[in-house]
């Protein structure tokens, strides 16, 4: 494992206004606002800096400061200003191209004081919440503008969004203000012009098109067919090829985890014995590795003022943490707080009981600061503490109103992916920070403590990286990066009650290898042709800075695929996903649940084993009923089986019979129409998988019990779990098995690329080229006694085993005096070879403190 230095980057730590905001339209002198070192922006006349901004985000709204309260968060226009620290000017210029690729629209390139500048106009769909509401409102779009400047190694980005009914002139005022950013230093006009030429002539990024591997070959990383580095290594491996084919396999049959409920989150302890499965319908836990689950109740908040969107995590102390949407009502149980929140509860008894700790995020019901924290996803550091306490992280879709709102509990608006952290087990949390410009953030923590957040912006999947909470949760230089361009899973998806409306079926997620902290995996679903999506895993080997390699983890068979989630075990990536490869014309909603494997080697990443976790029993998702009105009539009308009684009859002005109805046939009662709604969601807006202890815990929602379920199960959509063994952590593959380097007499050099790798050192070869071994007279043991001394072979860095030519262990003695490791053994007559040196192999394994 390579040790990476931690860089602390403070981006716009303070945002100070020069002068005061005007209280009315008579203001003529633009308000100047400090964005960063040497960077200022002028607020348009009559606009003002929004109170209580995020710590790295400046917001300017289109009303004077004195009118902010009365607007109740629904400002006609708002500007968001952020900065990124890039590692070079060239990288900042490349970042302009990435930003241009995010959304389709009209681009204009120019120089601002010699610095390359992008101005892009586009239409942004106004986001809607994932959780169902009585009235989420119609779909709407916002006229939007991006202005971005590559100012040396700083990337300045200004996003402006208008309400659909706002005066279009507001966008022109914002464009003028953003286009006149005050930059202290002037750029080199020649370098700026060359940069513009590169940007204007570049090819837009193509969507990910990774194809799955050959169905007849599971693709175990490309083991070479030719000779291996030296004969004895080859000899040993040929007798142990079973290690090569030790594929992941289910440990037991599936089990019922939660009766009812979807929107699933899973967390597992390091030894894989304690498991928590949380859903919108409550949570269950297992303390026997997933063999049995016990339902423990609904969302564990202070009182009944809680909602779904569960997210669970396990931390280094052995504590489980549970995130959920809360509605604090001012009671003592909520600490006297009011509004909308991300609540955090904790369990110290293996997930059996949870106690409320605190709110990670609180959106007040105060008019000027209306917001809503939707779809929080939490992560906990499994290895690193802060002063002995757990470090916990939460990301969420931070909504601000897209129209009139009476409280923080509104249905749609503008979204900023955001992050907070705690370094004392959830008792106290940092001020919110913006992750970036986009939506649907998903989070993980690496073994070195770095925090990664994957999210989408338009047609791009991005990744941001932060230091640990104890190091300030600082965004790292060179981030965010664009992982890939993708084509979103298209709608409709027959049988779901929402499709890319409050959710994202492509579902970009991130995981860090458990063997190498610099290896980062990002998984997502992308449409390739009509009727097919691939689940793609992209791999980084430089801590997320670049993602040059990718593979599809599904077999090369056409099918609709959606809602993947990724985790890492034994250096490999595992992605679970819903799959419709078995649909027919008569049943276009047949859905299975699969687990795919991605195996990285020294130069590529390839598809490994794919498992059908449902045992070839597919769930017809249209047939599971419609407890809530879907968000689009096409969610039901696209089902091949008709009619679908998905809607509810009602009068256009409200009221009515509320009778179930089919959208094609409509309602029998005079004047009533078949209405859509918010969805439940029945199958979730996301779906987790968790890895730990060489086990993969998969969970999915289905109204059809999978093969192998014991006993009767309740009717309706339930949550099922299946535990998979990831296989031998030390199986021999080209990148984690090899021989030592032999630089000269009496020297061995042991090098490993990943933790847990093995180096095979045949004793006969050493006796010939490295050491002076005893002779071998006929009829005698050769030699009669072995004593090998290794200077500097620390037992905490390198573990040593001894095996014979068949790979069977050989008993030996070992001692360490702080400088030298001494290995001694006497050969057994069963392993005697007349006249030859004993056929033994030393096996060195990189230990827990190895680098």
């Amino acid at each position: 494992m390579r040790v990476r230095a931690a860089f602390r980057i403070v981006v716009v730590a303070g945002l100070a206004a020069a002068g005061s905001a005007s209280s009315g339209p008579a203001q003529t002198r633009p308000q100047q606002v400090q964005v960063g070192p040497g960077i200022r922006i002028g607020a348009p006349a009559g606009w003002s800096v929004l109170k209580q901004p995020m710590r790295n985000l400046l917001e300017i709204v289109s009303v004077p400061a004195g009118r902010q309260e009365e607007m109740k968060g629904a400002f006609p226009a708002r500007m968001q200003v952020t900065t990124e620290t890039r590692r070079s000017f060239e990288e900042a210029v490349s970042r302009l191209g990435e930003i241009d690729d995010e959304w389709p629209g009209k681009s204009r390139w120019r120089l601002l004081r010699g610095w390359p500048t992008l101005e892009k106009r586009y239409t942004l769909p106004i986001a809607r919440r994932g959780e169902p509401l009585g009235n989420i409102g119609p779909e709407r779009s916002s006229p939007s503008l991006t202005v971005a400047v590559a100012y040396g190694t700083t990337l300045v980005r200004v996003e402006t969004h208008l309400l659909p009914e706002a005066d279009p002139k507001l966008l022109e005022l914002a464009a003028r203000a953003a286009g006149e950013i005050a930059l202290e230093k002037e750029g080199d006009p020649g370098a700026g012009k060359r940069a513009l030429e590169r940007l204007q002539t570049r090819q837009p990024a193509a969507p990910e098109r990774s194809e799955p591997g050959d169905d007849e070959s599971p693709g175990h990383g490309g083991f070479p067919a030719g000779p291996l580095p030296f004969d004895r290594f080859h000899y040993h491996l040929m007798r142990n090829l079973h290690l090569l084919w030790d594929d992941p396999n289910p440990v037991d049959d599936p089990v019922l985890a939660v009766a009812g409920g979807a929107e699933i989150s899973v967390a597992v302890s390091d030894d894989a014995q304690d498991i928590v499965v949380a859903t919108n319908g409550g949570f269950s836990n297992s303390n026997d590795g997933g063999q049995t689950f016990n339902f423990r109740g609904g969302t564990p908040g202070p009182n009944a003022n809680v909602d779904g969107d569960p997210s669970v995590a396990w931390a280094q102390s052995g504590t489980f943490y549970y995130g959920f949407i809360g509605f604090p009502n001012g009671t003592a149980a909520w600490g006297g707080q009011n509004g909308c929140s991300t609540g955090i509860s904790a369990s110290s008894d293996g997930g059996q009981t949870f106690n409320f700790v605190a709110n990670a995020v609180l959106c007040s019901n105060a008019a000027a600061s209306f917001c809503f924290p939707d779809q929080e996803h939490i992560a906990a550091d499994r290895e690193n503490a802060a002063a002995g306490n757990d470090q916990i992280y939460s990301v969420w879709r931070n909504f601000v109103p897209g129209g009139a709102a009476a409280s923080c509990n509104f249905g749609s608006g503008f979204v900023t992916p955001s992050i907070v952290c705690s370094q004392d087990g959830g008792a106290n949390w940092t001020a919110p920070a913006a992750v970036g410009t986009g939506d649907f953030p998903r989070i993980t923590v690496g073994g070195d403590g770095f925090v990664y957040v994957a999210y989408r912006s338009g047609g791009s999947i991005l990744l941001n990286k932060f230091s640990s909470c104890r190091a300030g949760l600082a965004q790292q230089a060179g981030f965010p990066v664009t992982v890939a361009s993708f084509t979103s899973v298209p709608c409709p998806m027959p049988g779901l009650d929402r499709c890319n409306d409050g959710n994202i079926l492509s579902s970009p997620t991130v995981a860090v290898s458990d063997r190498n902290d610099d290896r980062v995996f990002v998984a997502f679903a992308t449409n390739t042709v009509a009727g097919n999506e691939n689940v793609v895993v992209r791999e980084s080997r430089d801590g997320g800075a670049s993602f040059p390699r990718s593979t599809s983890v599904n077999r090369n068979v056409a099918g609709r695929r959606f809602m993947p989630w990724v985790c890492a075990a034994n250096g490999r990536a595992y992605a679970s996903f819903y799959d419709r490869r078995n649909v027919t014309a008569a049943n276009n909603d047949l859905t299975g649940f699969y687990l795919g494997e991605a195996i990285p080697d020294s130069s590529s990443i390839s598809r490994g084993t794919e498992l059908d976790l449902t045992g070839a029993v597919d769930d017809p998702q249209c047939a599971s009923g419609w407890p809530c009105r879907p968000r689009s009539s096409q969610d039901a009308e696209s089902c091949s089986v008709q009619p679908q009684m998905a809607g509810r009859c009602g009068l256009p002005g409200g009221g009515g019979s509320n009778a179930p109805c089919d959208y094609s046939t409509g309602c029998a009662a005079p004047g009533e129409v078949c209405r859509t709604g918010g969805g439940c969601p029945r199958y979730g807006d996301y779906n987790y998988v968790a890895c730990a202890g060489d086990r993969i815990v998969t969970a999915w929602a289905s109204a059809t019990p999978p093969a192998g379920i014991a006993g009767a199960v309740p009717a309706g959509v339930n949550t099922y779990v299946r535990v998979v063994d990831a296989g031998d952590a030390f199986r021999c593959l080209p990148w984690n098995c090899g021989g030592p380097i032999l630089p000269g007499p009496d020297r061995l050099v042991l090098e490993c690329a990943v933790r847990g790798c093995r180096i095979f050192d045949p004793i006969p070869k050493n006796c010939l080229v490295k050491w002076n071994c005893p002779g071998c007279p006929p009829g005698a043991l050769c030699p009669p006694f072995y004593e090998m001394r290794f200077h500097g072979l620390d037992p905490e860095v390198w573990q040593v085993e001894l095996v014979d030519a068949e790979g069977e262990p050989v008993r030996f003695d070992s001692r360490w005096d702080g400088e030298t490791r001494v290995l001694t053994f006497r050969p057994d007559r069963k392993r005697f070879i007349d006249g030859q040196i004993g056929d033994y192999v030393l096996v060195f394994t990189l230990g827990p403190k190895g680098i």
Side-chain angles (χ1 to χ4, degrees), residues 345-427:
S345 295
S347 171
S348 57
D349 57 7
Q352 298 178 42
T353 59
F354 282 84
N355 296 309
F356 180 66
V357 179
N359 288 313
V361 178
L362 179 68
C363 287
S364 170
N365 277 324
S369 55
F370 280 167
C371 60
F372 185 86
D374 185 45
Q375 286 188 30
E376 84 294 331
H377 293 284
I378 68 171
D381 197 318
R382 303 177 70 94
E383 298 187 27
N384 308 288
N389 298 313
D390 287 334
Q391 298 186 92
I392 316 166
Y393 304 86
S394 179
V395 295
W396 71 100
R397 307 173 68 204
N398 193 76
F399 271 86
V400 294
S407 72
C408 59
N409 188 19
F410 53 87
S412 65
F414 300 105
V415 174
T416 301
S418 305
I419 185 170
V420 291
C421 71
S422 170
Q423 51 183 313
D424 58 6

Side-chain angles (χ1 to χ4, degrees), residues 776-780 782 832-837:
C776 302
C782 179
F832 167 73
I833 304 176
D834 191 17
Q836 297 182 28
I837 299 168

Side-chain angles (χ1 to χ4, degrees), residues 296-516:
R296 301 296 183 179
T299 301
N303 53 31
N305 284 16
V306 295
D307 207 336
D309 283 1
S311 180
V312 289
W314 185 88
Q316 57 84 33
S317 69
T319 301
F320 282 97
Y321 293 92
Y322 196 127
F324 55 90
I325 291 176
F327 296 97
N329 60 353
T331 60
W334 285 102
Q337 294 179 318
N338 280 284
C340 312
S341 74
T342 293
I344 302 292
S345 295
S347 171
S348 57
D349 57 7
Q352 298 178 42
T353 59
F354 282 84
N355 296 309
F356 180 66
V357 179
N359 288 313
V361 178
L362 179 68
C363 287
S364 170
N365 277 324
S369 55
F370 280 167
C371 60
F372 185 86
D374 185 45
Q375 286 188 30
E376 84 294 331
H377 293 284
I378 68 171
D381 197 318
R382 303 177 70 94
E383 298 187 27
N384 308 288
N389 298 313
D390 287 334
Q391 298 186 92
I392 316 166
Y393 304 86
S394 179
V395 295
W396 71 100
R397 307 173 68 204
N398 193 76
F399 271 86
V400 294
S407 72
C408 59
N409 188 19
F410 53 87
S412 65
F414 300 105
V415 174
T416 301
S418 305
I419 185 170
V420 291
C421 71
S422 170
Q423 51 183 313
D424 58 6
N428 295 281
W429 294 80
T430 60
V435 171
T437 298
D439 201 354
F440 299 104
R442 312 288 172 73
I443 188 170
T444 195
V445 184
D448 53 7
F450 280 111
V451 180
Y452 296 89
V453 183
Y455 59 104
R456 70 86 59 98
S457 182
S460 299
I461 292 171
L462 291 96
L463 184 76
N464 213 335
K465 181 178 181 178
F466 300 85
S467 66
S468 68
C469 193
R470 68 183 180 188
L473 196 65
Q475 182 173 312
Q476 300 300 285
F479 287 87
V481 299
T482 297
V483 176
S485 294
F486 75 111
T487 302
S488 185
V489 175
C491 297
M493 187 65 70
L496 300 188
D497 55 12
R498 60 186 61 178
C499 177
N500 297 330
D501 188 349
N503 63 16
I504 176 170
L505 297 187
S506 288
S507 186
T509 59
V510 57
V512 180
S513 170
D514 57 334
R515 301 292 180 194
N516 186 335

Side-chain angles (χ1 to χ4, degrees), residues 714-787:
V717 177
N718 298 306
T719 296
Y720 298 92
V721 167
R722 197 166 194 183
V723 178
V724 174
D725 187 341
D728 185 356
F730 301 113
R731 64 160 143 173
C732 288
L733 291 169
W735 59 93
N736 70 353
C737 289
I741 298 171
L742 311 175
D746 300 318
R747 290 190 65 205
L748 281 177
V749 176
L750 309 179
E751 288 189 352
C752 267
V754 296
R755 189 182 305 284
C757 75
R758 286 177 163 182
I759 292 179
F760 295 87
D761 187 30
I763 288 177
K765 189 174 186 73
N766 279 323
C767 286
L768 294 173
V769 301
K770 301 294 294 181
W771 307 317
N772 183 18
C773 293
C776 302
L781 294 174
C782 179
F785 190 82
Y786 287 77
E787 178 174 289

Side-chain angles (χ1 to χ4, degrees), residues 25 164 285 297 301 307 380 524 582 780 836:
N285 85 302
D307 207 336
F524 54 95
N582 295 325
Q836 297 182 28

Side-chain angles (χ1 to χ4, degrees), residues 604-676:
S604 65
I605 184 170
S606 60
R607 180 177 65 87
T609 301
E610 183 197 68
L611 297 175
D612 177 358
L613 299 171
T614 60
V617 177
D618 290 324
D619 178 29
Q621 292 187 327
C622 290
S624 58
W626 302 89
C628 301
R629 293 174 287 156
R631 292 198 170 178
S632 168
S633 62
Q634 284 304 304
D635 295 337
E637 290 297 283
S638 60
C639 296
S640 54
V641 176
Q642 294 292 332
Q644 292 288 326
M645 309 302 283
R648 295 292 184 273
C649 291
L651 297 171
S657 66
N658 202 40
C661 54
D662 176 81
Y663 290 108
S664 293
T665 58
C667 299
E672 291 191 345
V673 295
C674 194
R675 296 182 300 179
T676 55

